[in-house]
Amino acid sequence: MGERDEPGTIGRRVQQLRVARGLTQRQLAEPVYTPAYISTLEAGRVRPSDEALRHLSERLGVEFDELATGRSARRVTELRLRLTEAQRALAVGEAESAVEQYAALLAEAEAQELPEEQAAALLGLGECALDTGELADGRRFFEEAEARLADAPLHARVPALRGRAVAHYLAGELRYAVYLLESTIDELNRGGLHDPDALLLLYASVIGPYMDMGAHARAAQAAEFALALAPQSGDPALVARMHRSVARTLLAEGRLAEADASLAKAAELYRGLHLRTELANCHWMRGYVYAQNGELERAEAEMREALHMLSATRATLYSSQLTVELADVLHRRGRSEEAAELLRDVLGGLSPERGAVHAAAAHRLLGIIAEDARATEQAEEHYVRALSLLERAGAAGDLADLCRLLGDLLRRTGRVEAALDAYRTGLGHRTAPGTTTLGPAPAQPPV
């Protein structure tokens, strides 16, 4: 009946259970076996048959599997059900409750020596850490999950690898995040390990770093592959995430109606699954669509709704990024003081190691607001800080725009040579095509 423990391990388990229940060897043996057989079995000198284990499990009041392997099939099923409940708690914004549940489940899975369930609990703890902005803890949990699955096929390790990449991405380490995702995609495709869910998760996750690095062509290609893989996936939450990611590439190409349609599909799936945090992200991106289209009042309403939902979930870094975009909408609506106040609050919770790209965006917008107020020195200071953060993160697309802003400011204040240097730096970033500076593209999936 499958793998079972060594005779010595089973013997010790039988003895512990018998003593715990106050039974003698004779009481445990009768009426089928002898006390001598039980003594020999407990000493580990005989391998019990299936029939003997069934008799002993019945007398001891435990399941056959628990006696043979130390693991109860019923308990494993219950544990997996509770993992699903913890996942739901995180999805609806109850991060603290989810952490407690995952920690208890991890301890239980370790006690029962269940590596897959241990990895699932660690993945959950990693997602909770990302949600609360504790990126170092998140990376550690994802690394531990990978270690528990060291002997599993690559597609089973993809969620842990993807989680680690997202932690690096949120910390502003864009190139390393892309390396992790691309190398995993490449290994899956070149090795013929075609798992639609694993590939869909990876392609959806790599679009954000591509866009921030200015590699728009590669982001568009990843979006095409994701759309082609979606019909093969049986996970509606994963398909919804894909639609949300693909909307970024559609926006970059100016295809606003198609982007809004993708976000509507994602929102419909998330509502059906009651995934509050993901639904908040759809409100956020729809707000971005409206902002791009000049519908600022609708954009503000969508973003405020998203911010309210994300704040309730303590999604710290996501809330910071959204707040910067809301501040941009407020500035465009003529409410610059309100926008600046939001941005200063955001910067208090960010650092070069934690949300560098978001912090750079906040400094960039504060610089624009300062320029509008003719506070030239203050504007330059914000632009220089943003430049330093973006260079560290390797966000080429944003760097080119920032160098233009800084160059224009320097030129207006009479520092022509410094302005030319800034423009040259920006042109260097703009002309470096993301599809070559990232190295060869990963192998294509068989779709």
Side-chain angles (χ1 to χ4, degrees), residues 131-401:
D131 196 67
T132 55
E134 295 159 338
L135 302 182
D137 287 343
R139 284 197 298 272
R140 176 171 58 81
F141 287 130
F142 291 126
E143 287 167 2
E144 289 182 22
E146 283 184 73
R148 300 295 201 284
L149 297 173
D151 297 327
L154 177 59
H155 67 83
R157 303 197 305 274
V158 161
L161 284 160
R162 177 258 174 195
R164 190 151 57 91
V166 171
H168 285 288
Y169 171 49
L170 291 174
E173 299 162 6
L174 305 187
R175 285 189 177 277
Y176 188 62
V178 166
Y179 163 75
L180 285 174
L181 294 166
E182 282 195 340
S183 59
T184 309
I185 289 170
D186 203 43
E187 190 175 347
L188 280 170
N189 288 332
R190 291 191 187 282
L193 303 171
H194 183 63
D195 185 287
D197 283 353
L199 284 169
L200 188 59
L201 180 61
L202 292 166
Y203 280 120
S205 300
V206 80
I207 288 172
Y210 278 157
M211 294 294 289
D212 286 347
M213 292 180 71
H216 294 161
R218 195 168 288 189
Q221 184 182 53
E224 288 177 14
F225 290 150
L227 286 167
L229 287 162
Q232 302 173 46
S233 174
D235 185 345
L238 189 52
V239 173
R241 177 184 287 169
M242 179 277 299
H243 277 298
R244 203 183 73 216
S245 298
V246 165
R248 284 197 68 176
T249 65
L250 296 172
L251 282 170
E253 295 169 359
R255 296 154 65 182
L256 301 184
E258 292 172 68
D260 199 33
S262 272
L263 291 170
K265 289 178 186 175
E268 182 182 357
L269 288 166
Y270 286 139
R271 283 192 193 95
L273 295 167
H274 305 290
L275 299 183
R276 179 184 175 91
T277 302
E278 304 295 356
L279 182 57
N281 281 315
C282 288
H283 280 294
W284 170 5
M285 287 203 69
R286 295 192 86 169
Y288 186 79
V289 170
Y290 292 139
Q292 293 290 101
N293 205 34
E295 300 175 70
L296 300 182
E297 186 175 348
R298 295 181 72 183
E300 181 182 347
E302 290 283 350
M303 288 182 180
R304 287 197 182 279
E305 174 65 16
L307 191 59
H308 170 72
M309 296 176 77
L310 286 176
S311 296
T313 66
R314 297 179 62 223
T316 311
L317 288 173
Y318 298 113
S319 296
S320 298
Q321 184 179 354
L322 172 56
T323 301
V324 173
E325 294 184 12
L326 174 60
D328 181 57
V329 169
L330 294 173
H331 170 62
R332 289 166 63 186
R333 297 195 71 188
R335 291 148 62 186
S336 296
E337 279 302 317
E338 186 179 349
E341 186 176 346
L342 284 177
L343 293 169
R344 285 190 286 269
D345 287 343
V346 163
L347 285 172
L350 298 175
S351 69
E353 293 77 28
R354 186 174 179 274
V357 176
H358 311 336
H363 278 297
R364 173 189 176 278
L365 186 50
L366 282 169
I368 292 172
I369 292 171
E371 269 204 89
D372 290 346
R374 303 187 185 280
T376 305
E377 290 184 9
Q378 188 179 354
E380 183 179 347
E381 182 182 344
H382 283 300
Y383 289 152
V384 169
R385 287 187 182 180
L387 187 64
S388 174
L389 289 163
L390 291 175
E391 283 181 331
R392 176 190 176 102
D398 293 337
L399 267 166
D401 174 66

Side-chain angles (χ1 to χ4, degrees), residues 18-171:
R18 176 180 64 77
V19 172
R21 285 154 176 73
L23 298 174
T24 65
Q25 290 180 335
R26 179 178 299 278
Q27 288 171 323
L28 180 59
E30 291 178 343
V32 182
Y33 298 96
T34 65
Y37 175 75
I38 299 300
S39 177
T40 305
L41 186 151
E42 289 182 351
R45 295 197 296 270
V46 63
R47 179 178 292 276
S49 65
D50 286 351
E51 290 74 17
L53 284 177
R54 288 194 186 93
H55 167 80
L56 294 172
S57 63
E58 184 177 341
R59 298 287 287 169
L60 292 167
V62 298
E63 295 177 33
F64 177 96
D65 287 341
E66 186 171 1
L67 202 59
T69 67
R71 298 188 293 272
S72 164
R74 177 177 54 79
R75 289 181 185 173
V76 171
T77 301
E78 289 175 351
L79 191 148
R80 289 174 179 167
L81 177 62
R82 286 161 55 205
L83 280 167
T84 303
E85 292 169 353
Q87 185 179 22
R88 176 70 63 182
L90 177 61
V92 300
E94 299 170 359
E96 292 180 359
S97 173
V99 168
E100 292 177 3
Q101 292 179 55
Y102 279 126
L105 289 164
L106 176 59
E108 189 171 333
E110 288 175 338
Q112 295 191 48
E113 299 179 354
L114 300 169
E116 289 185 17
E117 285 69 26
Q118 290 171 38
L122 286 163
L123 281 172
L125 287 169
E127 293 293 342
C128 290
L130 293 186
D131 196 67
T132 55
E134 295 159 338
L135 302 182
D137 287 343
R139 284 197 298 272
R140 176 171 58 81
F141 287 130
F142 291 126
E143 287 167 2
E144 289 182 22
E146 283 184 73
R148 300 295 201 284
L149 297 173
D151 297 327
L154 177 59
H155 67 83
R157 303 197 305 274
V158 161
L161 284 160
R162 177 258 174 195
R164 190 151 57 91
V166 171
H168 285 288
Y169 171 49
L170 291 174

Side-chain angles (χ1 to χ4, degrees), residues 8-25:
T9 303
I10 293 176
R12 286 190 296 275
R13 187 175 298 129
V14 168
Q15 184 181 43
Q16 289 168 359
L17 289 168
R18 176 180 64 77
V19 172
R21 285 154 176 73
L23 298 174
T24 65
Q25 290 180 335

